[in-house]
Amino acid sequence: AGSLMTTKLSQPPSTLAKSLASTSTNAPYFKASESTEIPPYVTNCPSNGLCSRLPPDCMTCNTNYSCIYGKPATFDCKVKPHVHCVDESNHEQENFTINMTCQFCWQLATSDYVCTNSTNCMTVSCPRQRYNATCTVRDHIHCLGNRVFPKMLYCNWTGGYKWSTALALSITLGGFGADRFYLGQWREGLGKLFSFGGLGIWTLIDVLLIGVGYVGPADGSLYI
């Protein structure tokens, strides 16, 4: 369950296939009811869009056992019942191919999936502590294996740096690099000190970057 790349032999018969296989004439009402039932996944499938850009839940693909890990691979896919899509020539199609990298979902880059956050995992000066998170692959990303998987993530932690203090130093003494020194960024601090804040330009940029939280402590911790 939750796997994009599963063989057709392992897939259960679809609702549409069941309705087509029913030849009983004694219960026409039930036959019509099955054929018109819309599966819940259809709501997540764009209508008449490119087949190759459908979310994984809208298609069934054959596992390419010959793919080499980390290398590009092509997979043969077919849309699920009640899903309509087209090719690049705007012609409706059911069978198509998609290109993706041969790797499991849990091996994706962190930007390709979303994980749950811990509500009781805020620590002070303890960056090595982890917590159990549940991660879900984004809809437009294709991968092998389960699209929902557990992962051990680092807790949010703080080294005691205050955002208000960093911003105040940036506004008042930013030309001397005080804000960068406070955040533990000694090289940048020395650069600002000997360049007089980049003749004022670097100072203004740092005020903006610290204000929006883009520049933080050098140790990677969060502001308090």
Side-chain angles (χ1 to χ4, degrees), residues 15-217:
T15 302
L16 181 60
K18 289 181 179 179
S19 65
L20 293 177
S22 176
T23 58
S24 173
T25 58
N26 296 326
Y29 172 79
F30 295 103
K31 179 178 180 181
S33 175
E34 288 183 0
S35 62
T36 57
E37 183 181 355
I38 304 300
Y41 60 77
V42 175
T43 57
N44 298 323
C45 303
S47 180
N48 295 324
L50 287 176
C51 293
S52 58
R53 295 185 179 180
L54 284 174
D57 290 340
C58 305
M59 66 180 77
T60 302
C61 298
N62 289 335
T63 302
N64 185 348
Y65 292 103
S66 62
C67 74
I68 301 175
Y69 171 72
K71 300 294 183 180
T74 301
F75 294 82
D76 296 322
C77 302
K78 181 179 181 179
V79 294
K80 290 183 177 180
H82 301 283
V83 177
H84 303 280
C85 62
V86 297
D87 58 15
E88 294 182 354
S89 300
N90 206 31
H91 296 146
E92 187 170 352
Q93 63 177 175
E94 293 185 359
N95 300 298
F96 57 97
T97 60
I98 61 171
N99 297 316
M100 55 173 279
T101 302
C102 181
Q103 61 182 345
F104 288 99
C105 295
W106 59 269
Q107 296 172 318
L108 292 170
T110 55
S111 59
D112 292 335
Y113 53 82
V114 179
C115 299
T116 56
N117 293 321
S118 175
T119 58
N120 56 355
C121 189
M122 187 71 176
T123 58
V124 178
S125 299
C126 186
R128 308 311 302 177
Q129 185 175 347
R130 295 173 181 258
Y131 70 96
N132 291 317
T134 300
C135 303
T136 305
V137 180
R138 298 183 185 275
D139 284 342
H140 64 285
I141 302 297
H142 298 281
C143 55
L144 298 172
N146 293 328
R147 299 184 61 80
V148 179
F149 54 91
K151 197 175 185 70
M152 294 291 292
L153 299 179
Y154 286 114
C155 293
N156 291 331
W157 67 288
T158 176
Y161 297 95
K162 293 184 178 181
W163 172 81
S164 57
T165 301
L167 182 60
L169 289 174
S170 183
I171 295 174
T172 58
L173 300 173
F176 301 99
D179 50 353
R180 294 283 183 164
F181 286 127
Y182 171 72
L183 295 174
Q185 302 176 8
W186 296 97
R187 293 180 181 179
E188 292 81 355
L190 291 173
K192 291 182 70 175
L193 176 62
F194 291 111
S195 66
F196 299 102
L199 298 180
I201 298 177
W202 194 348
T203 301
L204 293 176
I205 293 176
D206 268 1
V207 170
L208 177 62
L209 295 180
I210 293 177
V212 299
Y214 185 81
V215 172

